[in-house]
Every structure is written in structure tokens, then in C-alpha cells.
Amino acid sequence: MHLDGGGSATLYYDRKKLAPTDVVLPRIAQSINTYGLAVVNQFALHGVPLVNHAQAIAQSRSKMRSLQLLSAHGIDIPATVMARDAAQLKEMVGLVGGVPVLVKLLQGQEKHGVMVCESLQSLEAALEAVLGLGHNLVMQEYVKSTSQDVRVLVVGGKAIAAVRRRPRPGRLAHTLIKGARLEEMELSPGQRATAEKATRLVGLEVAAVDLLDVQGQSKVFEVNSSPALPEMEAVTGMDLATPIIIRAEELVAGAEPVSMPDLLPPRPLASAVVPAPRKKRASRTPRSGSEGA
């Protein structure tokens, strides 16, 4: 990106001026989050339509701010504590209902930023290690025995697909990581409404909303701006990329959204096990590991 005092700005790719752009579908890896958001913002300043705007992406990736926004607008969320002092361990655990709990870095690469602590000893060790490195974190309730971990893909304000995730023992399948068992599911009206409202509040056109369903009560624990598609496609049998492209075209044309479910094929598969990820090939275009979820 080149800026000058005259108010003009130029975007370059491979040392050449970027050709005119019709629409941008941001996929920003956590490792280049700050730079990627600046690039997305520069496209916005050029008047290029964006599927997800930089402000909405940044808001979704600031976990505590996102939860604050959802809670303030009546969206149920898991009990959450923001922590800086490991000495208040017992008090914090009580506020989120006791162990097991989720511990999540407020900023960081999602694949390594979430852990489940099933005892006070493991939680205390995790808190001291993370806080000692200068990271901020949040601690959330995790109802292991009665909850369902649900991921909902929302495009253009409508929930178009959902899977139930069964993680490896002791881990939450936040990123649909190796070994997580995925099952296709039908959303209840409450789950659908919650996912769609959460996406609208954060300001995203394309998002994955992670729900913790406790005895029929849906709680949003994360809204992800760069959801992975292949794993959900493998389980549901759906083409999930096409609705995103169609929504991008609608944004360019300024048209009203079409009915997304009518565009999707039947869903023949019931469950699948996500295989170990293949070694990534070199690419000039950074990819998100999902929210990489």
C-alpha cells in the first residue's frame, strides 16, 4: 500500500499496481491480522464492495469486545471472566460455574489459543503460564456432560448449514481440528435465530457462529469471520462456497439477497471424521486456519 499527503493511495501486488477490483472476500490469517485488516480497509477507501468489512472482522476477533456486544443486545453467552491475576483463581472459577472451564487468549492464533482445564491444578498452571507471558485471556464456562458444540454457517444474514462437533477427549473442537467428529444437524428455530442475530450484531456477511447448546438453551461463545468450509462440506454434502460468491455478487449489484437454502443440494451424509490436515503447499495468498476455524 502506498499513501501520500495528497490523499491518494495505491495498492500493489507483486510490485505492480493492482488491477481494478470488483469485490473483496477477506480471508485473513491470524498471523497477519493487523496488516490484513489494513489492506481490507484500503479497498474500502477505494470504494470496493467488501463481503466482510475490516471493522466487523476486527470486532469478531476481539473475543471480549465481541462477547460484550452480544451480551448487551440480549444474546445469551457462556459465563465469562477476563483475567489478569492468577491469584484470584478460585473466585474466578466460581463465577463461571467451576471446572471444567475454557481458557482462551483474547488475541492469538486460534489453533493454539484455546484449552480446556478440567481441574484447579491444571487451570492454575495454565493461568500462571499464559499471564506470565503477558497475554490477556478470558475464562468461560464449559458444560462438558450436557452441552452440544454447534457451528452454524451464516451467509447474507441466513443460516445455511450447521454441524455438531464432538472433540477429542479434553479438547474443544474450536477449529475443527484433527480427530474432531462432525455430525450434520438440523437447527432448531432458536438456534437459527440466535446465530443470525449474532452475525448481524457483529456486522458480518459471512460468519461461523459457535454455539454451546445447554439443555435447549443456545449460548454464543464465538463469531468467526473466516470459517473453514471443506470440513463442513464433507459432512453436509453441500456446496457452501457458491452461496458466498452469490452474496458477493449481490453486494456488487445492490440486489436483495436470494433464498440461499434453495441454491444448495440435498445433504446425504450424516457424520464424518476430519482427517489429519495435509502438508500445506506454498501459496502467495495467505489463508486463515478458519476464526483458521
Side-chain angles (χ1 to χ4, degrees), residues 51 78 80 86 177 190 229 279:
V51 172
T80 303
I177 52 178
L229 300 181
K279 185 177 179 181

Side-chain angles (χ1 to χ4, degrees), residues 57-81:
I57 297 170
Q59 188 154 250
S60 70
R61 291 189 171 184
S62 176
K63 295 180 177 65
M64 194 63 175
R65 289 177 57 189
S66 179
L67 291 173
Q68 287 172 325
L69 174 67
L70 298 176
S71 177
H73 287 83
I75 296 289
D76 199 7
I77 64 171
T80 303
V81 170

Side-chain angles (χ1 to χ4, degrees), residues 61-108:
R61 291 189 171 184
S62 176
K63 295 180 177 65
M64 194 63 175
R65 289 177 57 189
S66 179
L67 291 173
Q68 287 172 325
L69 174 67
L70 298 176
S71 177
H73 287 83
I75 296 289
D76 199 7
I77 64 171
T80 303
V81 170
M82 185 173 178
R84 286 186 63 87
D85 184 0
Q88 301 299 319
L89 171 65
K90 292 184 179 179
E91 179 181 354
M92 291 188 291
V93 171
L95 290 174
V96 298
V99 292
V101 296
L102 294 178
V103 175
K104 305 195 298 187
L105 296 181
L106 285 176
Q107 300 287 351

Side-chain angles (χ1 to χ4, degrees), residues 6-241:
S8 63
T10 307
L11 286 160
Y12 289 85
Y13 182 72
D14 278 354
R15 299 178 299 279
K16 298 178 182 178
K17 286 187 178 182
L18 195 66
T21 304
D22 295 314
V23 64
V24 175
L25 291 81
R27 298 284 296 178
I28 304 172
Q30 286 280 11
S31 59
I32 59 165
N33 188 54
T34 300
Y35 179 76
L37 290 176
V39 172
V40 172
N41 191 57
Q42 193 63 47
F43 277 111
L45 294 174
H46 278 258
V48 178
L50 304 170
V51 172
N52 284 336
H53 286 261
Q55 182 179 0
I57 297 170
Q59 188 154 250
S60 70
R61 291 189 171 184
S62 176
K63 295 180 177 65
M64 194 63 175
R65 289 177 57 189
S66 179
L67 291 173
Q68 287 172 325
L69 174 67
L70 298 176
S71 177
H73 287 83
I75 296 289
D76 199 7
I77 64 171
T80 303
V81 170
M82 185 173 178
R84 286 186 63 87
D85 184 0
Q88 301 299 319
L89 171 65
K90 292 184 179 179
E91 179 181 354
M92 291 188 291
V93 171
L95 290 174
V96 298
V99 292
V101 296
L102 294 178
V103 175
K104 305 195 298 187
L105 296 181
L106 285 176
Q107 300 287 351
Q109 297 187 36
E110 185 184 346
K111 289 183 179 179
H112 309 289
V114 182
M115 67 191 82
V116 176
C117 298
E118 299 193 9
S119 68
L120 290 176
Q121 291 78 12
S122 63
L123 176 59
E124 186 171 17
L127 284 173
E128 290 180 349
V130 173
L131 296 175
L133 293 173
H135 297 298
N136 292 326
L137 57 84
V138 293
M139 185 168 61
Q140 290 183 321
E141 67 173 316
Y142 178 40
V143 189
K144 182 178 179 180
S145 60
T146 61
S147 64
Q148 293 183 356
D149 179 16
V150 176
R151 166 157 286 196
V152 185
L153 181 66
V154 179
V155 179
K158 294 185 178 181
I160 65 171
V163 293
R164 182 183 294 110
R165 303 180 294 180
R166 301 190 184 280
R168 289 178 290 173
R171 295 192 180 184
L172 182 67
H174 249 262
T175 57
L176 308 184
I177 52 178
K178 175 185 174 182
R181 184 174 182 81
L182 309 181
E183 300 174 352
E184 183 192 11
M185 63 171 291
E186 292 292 334
L187 292 171
S188 68
Q191 290 171 329
R192 182 179 301 275
T194 296
E196 291 175 353
K197 182 178 179 181
T199 303
R200 288 196 304 270
L201 286 171
V202 177
L204 295 168
E205 287 285 346
V206 175
V209 180
D210 293 335
L211 304 174
L212 185 68
D213 195 74
V214 184
Q215 298 178 345
Q217 183 179 12
S218 297
K219 300 185 177 185
V220 177
F221 61 84
E222 194 155 343
V223 180
N224 190 309
S225 61
S226 295
L229 300 181
E231 294 85 355
M232 292 188 73
E233 288 184 328
V235 175
T236 63
M238 293 181 176
D239 170 10
L240 299 178

Side-chain angles (χ1 to χ4, degrees), residues 22-25 49 51 243-253:
D22 295 314
V23 64
V24 175
L25 291 81
V51 172
I244 298 175
I245 299 300
I246 290 174
R247 183 57 185 148
E249 294 174 339
E250 291 170 353
L251 293 172
V252 173

